[in-house]
């Protein structure tokens, strides 16, 4: 993770045959948005980053390919403790500037600059970029979403929640909404706000009823709230969808606890 992964990516990026089309083409834009979706699904496998790079390159648009490389480097730069390796952020800015040379006014590209400043801790610079982009495209999903880490990294829960909700409203497809609802639920959990987290996860599972992880999260919240009967019911729902060790372990623990209290 972090610095070491970025170094490995340097070797990959140095070998890339970059597109020669300097326009921000429709094809490039489509490939770029698909690549960003893939990055949102990143779970720590470095091979998935090279696959995402191929997606960005498939658009045959130099600015979108360079901006994609910048986003990959930002993703790779995240360390286990949540900090960001400077070598990744520095390289991301270099690739972003290459993208901006021929595509100066593409909001979805320029928002990457805000992320770089946010993870550097340069919040004043990030604020200038975000305000400018809001003026360029009011209600843009990607700009609204960038507000989330901007406020979260400054410890402002109210604004973090507000902009997460704004991004959810601006999201054009269910998977985007679900990812943000998941993040919002986890944010509430981090602050010990169980009722709020539970409400968000209930909304999320309404759109994705086969999501075992969501059902399990709700079961664990009920356990923490002392509502063991509901925890058992929800956990059984997750096990009907899929057999998994954590669900069986929770089932056994709940059965034992409830039998001891009869």
């Amino acid at each position: 993770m972090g610095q070491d992964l970025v170094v490995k990516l340097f070797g990959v990026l140095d070998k890339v045959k970059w597109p020669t089309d300097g326009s921000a083409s429709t094809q490039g834009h489509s490939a770029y948005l698909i690549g960003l979706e893939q990055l949102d699904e990143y779970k720590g496998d470095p091979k998935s980053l090279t696959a995402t790079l191929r997606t960005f390159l498939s658009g045959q648009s130099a600015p979108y390919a360079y901006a994609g490389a910048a986003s990959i480097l930002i993703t790779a730069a995240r360390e286990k403790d949540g900090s960001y390796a400077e070598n990744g952020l520095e390289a991301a800015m270099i690739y972003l500037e290459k993208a901006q040379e021929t595509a100066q006014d593409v909001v979805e590209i320029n928002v990457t600059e805000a992320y770089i400043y946010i993870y550097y801790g340069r919040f004043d610079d990030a604020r200038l970029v975000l305000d400018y982009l809001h003026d360029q495209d009011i209600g843009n999903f990607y700009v609204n979403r960038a507000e989330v880490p901007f406020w979260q990294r400054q410890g402002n829960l109210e604004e973090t929640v507000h902009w997460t909700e704004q991004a959810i409203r601006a999201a054009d497809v269910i998977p985007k909404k679900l990812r943000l609802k998941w993040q919002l639920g986890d944010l509430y959990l981090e602050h010990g706000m169980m009722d709020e987290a539970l409400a968000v996860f209930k909304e999320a599972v309404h759109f994705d009823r086969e999501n075992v992880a969501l059902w399990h999260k709700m079961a664990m919240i009920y356990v923490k709230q002392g509502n063991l009967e509901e925890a058992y019911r929800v956990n059984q729902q997750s096990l009907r969808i899929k057999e998994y060790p954590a669900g069986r372990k929770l089932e056994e623990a709940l059965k034992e606890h409830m039998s001891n209290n009869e």
Side-chain angles (χ1 to χ4, degrees):
M1 296 292 287
Q3 185 172 343
D4 293 339
L5 181 54
V6 169
V7 171
K8 291 179 181 178
L9 279 173
F10 288 162
V12 174
L13 294 170
D14 286 343
K15 298 176 183 177
V16 167
K17 184 177 180 180
W18 298 97
T20 56
D21 182 359
S23 68
S25 66
T26 301
Q27 179 182 345
H29 183 255
S30 296
Y32 183 65
L33 296 188
I34 292 171
L36 292 181
E37 286 291 297
Q38 292 173 346
L39 284 181
D40 285 341
E41 297 288 346
Y42 178 66
K43 297 294 190 298
D45 181 5
K47 292 181 180 178
S48 71
L49 295 180
T50 56
T52 301
L53 177 60
R54 289 194 293 271
T55 298
F56 287 131
L57 292 169
S58 71
Q60 296 300 312
S61 166
Y64 281 120
Y66 287 133
S71 293
I72 288 173
L73 285 162
I74 294 171
T75 300
R78 183 179 173 88
E79 302 283 9
K80 290 182 178 179
D81 64 359
S83 63
Y84 280 75
E86 287 195 11
N87 65 337
L89 298 179
E90 290 170 359
M93 184 63 84
I94 291 171
Y95 278 99
L96 176 62
E97 288 172 349
K98 289 183 178 182
Q100 292 172 326
E101 286 176 4
T102 55
Q104 299 177 354
D105 300 317
V106 179
V107 171
E108 289 82 3
I109 288 178
N110 291 333
V111 73
T112 308
E113 186 171 357
Y115 280 107
I116 295 171
Y117 288 141
I118 290 166
Y119 297 136
Y120 261 128
R122 294 168 56 178
F123 298 116
D124 289 344
D125 291 328
R127 185 72 265 154
L128 289 173
V129 173
L130 290 170
D131 287 345
Y132 172 77
L133 294 178
H134 281 303
D135 289 340
Q136 293 294 107
D137 190 359
I138 298 173
N140 182 283
F141 166 76
Y142 295 97
V143 182
N144 287 354
R145 189 177 64 171
E147 291 277 5
V148 176
F150 175 84
W151 292 106
Q152 188 170 15
R153 292 203 156 238
Q154 296 177 86
N156 190 320
L157 176 61
E158 183 178 354
E159 288 290 342
T160 303
V161 170
H162 169 74
W163 284 106
T164 303
E165 292 173 341
Q166 290 296 104
I168 290 171
R169 293 190 186 98
D172 57 350
V173 292
I174 294 298
K176 290 180 181 177
K177 293 180 183 291
L178 285 173
R179 279 194 296 270
L180 287 164
K181 283 185 177 293
W182 189 296
Q183 292 172 21
L184 181 57
D186 284 343
L187 178 67
Y188 282 135
L189 285 179
E190 289 173 12
H191 287 80
M193 302 168 69
M194 299 295 174
D195 291 338
E196 290 82 356
L198 187 58
V200 171
F201 289 135
K202 283 182 177 179
E203 290 176 6
V205 84
H206 175 74
F207 293 101
D208 189 5
R209 298 196 64 81
E210 300 301 305
N211 193 315
V212 171
L214 280 174
W215 287 105
H216 186 68
K217 274 184 173 286
M218 289 193 294
M220 295 306 297
I221 292 174
Y222 282 124
V223 169
K224 292 178 181 178
Q225 291 179 328
N227 190 343
L228 301 188
E229 290 185 2
E230 192 63 15
Y232 184 81
R233 184 191 71 79
V234 170
N235 188 61
Q236 289 304 111
Q237 175 63 28
S238 73
L239 288 169
R240 282 192 287 271
I241 298 168
K242 179 182 178 181
E243 180 74 25
Y244 66 110
R248 286 300 175 199
K249 183 177 181 180
L250 180 57
E251 178 188 46
E252 293 171 6
L254 288 170
K255 281 183 176 179
E256 181 179 356
H257 190 85
M258 288 188 292
S259 65
N260 290 336
N261 287 274
E262 287 179 352

